[in-house]
Amino acid sequence: MRDQSWPAFARFRSWALSVAAHSRGMMGRAGGFQFERGPGAMWRGRVEVAPMNSADAIEFRAFLHSLRGRSGSFGLPVPGNDAAPASNIVGEYDTCNLVRDGGTARFSDCTEFSDGTSFSDTWLPSTGATAAGDTINLVSSPVFAVGDLLTIGEQLVRVTAVNATSIGVRPRMRDDVAPGTAVTRGNIAPQFRLSSDAPIVPLVPGRSREIELAVEEFY
């Protein structure tokens, strides 16, 4: 199944992702090889899931097998900077049609605080970039820092540079970034899939052992 939600009880013990470049090559007439880095770089890595009680472990086993191998996908929660963004959100791109000042935390599901205050985490829509670009232009100066993880549209990127209203990102964007595309940080869960067969969830009395998953970005 695709677009599954990651089980809340499956906590990470360790998390390691890196960008895997897509390269291609050919052999010339003289016998030498030439390689170039092509588009379509993706995130790959491993996550180690901490031990859990037996009931949760059995449910987690069912979750892994429901993915049907590499054909299924799930939202993988990734560490990010969840500090409250600045208040320069452009109203027409605000998911909840509400502009709030003062650095209020915002969340894109448009739910509300207990006092009825709306909030959204979508911040700073991009103003456009070329296909496979590594620079994104924003509508105003960002509060991102180098190293932050963001989702632009549905793609996971890491910030490599911040300059005025532009940010450098890695990997390069695989698709055009249309004006108004949301740039989101903090509580993000880009789509990933297993890059190997679903592992066995080993059980001992009362709990499971730690489980390591090999994962890669799904697109």
Side-chain angles (χ1 to χ4, degrees):
M1 297 178 66
R2 296 186 177 181
D3 200 18
Q4 294 271 62
S5 295
W6 181 263
F9 54 77
R11 306 290 184 179
F12 295 149
R13 170 174 280 184
S14 64
W15 181 97
L17 294 179
S18 61
V19 177
H22 169 215
S23 61
R24 55 192 175 188
M26 62 176 293
M27 184 173 66
R29 294 181 179 178
F33 284 88
Q34 293 183 331
F35 291 91
E36 66 176 0
R37 181 167 295 180
M42 67 166 64
W43 291 86
R44 288 181 179 149
R46 294 181 177 273
V47 294
E48 185 179 5
V49 181
M52 60 193 82
N53 65 55
S54 296
D56 287 344
I58 292 172
E59 187 174 344
F60 187 62
R61 178 189 295 169
F63 163 76
L64 293 176
H65 286 282
S66 73
L67 298 173
R68 302 295 189 268
R70 299 184 63 194
S71 63
S73 67
F74 53 88
L76 182 71
V78 299
N81 183 356
D82 58 359
S87 58
N88 49 355
I89 297 174
V90 177
E92 65 179 299
Y93 297 121
D94 180 6
T95 307
C96 299
N97 297 314
L98 177 68
V99 176
R100 296 184 59 80
D101 295 326
T104 303
R106 310 178 72 86
F107 298 85
S108 57
D109 58 6
C110 296
T111 53
E112 299 180 341
F113 291 107
S114 58
D115 63 359
T117 303
S118 298
F119 53 90
S120 167
D121 64 1
T122 299
W123 184 71
L124 287 177
S126 65
T127 59
T130 59
D134 57 7
T135 300
I136 304 299
N137 300 311
L138 305 175
V139 295
S140 57
S141 298
V143 294
F144 306 141
V146 172
D148 282 353
L149 291 173
L150 315 173
T151 52
I152 301 178
E154 297 182 353
Q155 183 173 341
L156 175 66
V157 297
R158 186 186 300 277
V159 177
T160 60
V162 179
N163 181 19
T165 59
S166 296
I167 57 172
V169 297
R170 184 173 184 264
R172 298 166 65 88
M173 299 302 298
R174 291 186 289 264
D175 301 306
D176 288 331
V177 179
T181 300
V183 178
T184 307
R185 67 167 181 175
N187 185 22
I188 57 177
Q191 291 295 297
F192 273 73
R193 64 182 172 189
L194 299 178
S195 57
S196 62
D197 293 336
I200 296 173
V201 180
L203 295 175
V204 295
R207 64 176 179 85
S208 68
R209 296 188 184 275
E210 61 276 358
I211 309 145
E212 186 175 82
L213 302 176
V215 298
E216 65 183 17
E217 191 176 5
F218 183 95
Y219 72 94

